[in-house]
Amino acid sequence: MIPRHAASDLAHRLGEYAEAVCRHYLSNGRRQGKYWTVGDVRNAPGRSMFVRLQPSPKGPPGKWT
């Protein structure tokens, strides 16, 4: 089990590289402003899933909806 502070640090570090992670794992998506859009977590083309690439009042980078 990962200690809470380590998990938080990992999430923060992944957020710093959100676009690179998206380009690698969600290669059928594309950047649209401050978000990476893709069809779903299985990398289908489309615009159903959004991954935040920059921090905002709504949340940290790397958060997806």
Side-chain angles (χ1 to χ4, degrees):
M1 184 174 204
I2 299 173
R4 179 176 284 219
H5 70 279
S8 175
D9 185 51
L10 177 60
H12 175 74
R13 289 178 186 269
L14 284 171
E16 291 176 346
Y17 298 100
E19 186 169 353
V21 171
C22 288
R23 286 187 184 281
H24 182 78
Y25 290 103
L26 301 172
S27 58
N28 284 321
R30 65 184 195 152
R31 183 181 182 127
Q32 291 187 315
K34 296 180 180 182
Y35 295 90
W36 187 266
T37 60
V38 68
D40 57 29
V41 295
R42 293 185 178 140
N43 197 27
R47 295 180 32 189
S48 298
M49 189 172 92
F50 298 83
V51 181
R52 187 174 296 115
L53 299 176
Q54 300 173 358
S56 80
K58 294 182 178 182
K63 184 170 172 124
W64 56 276
T65 56

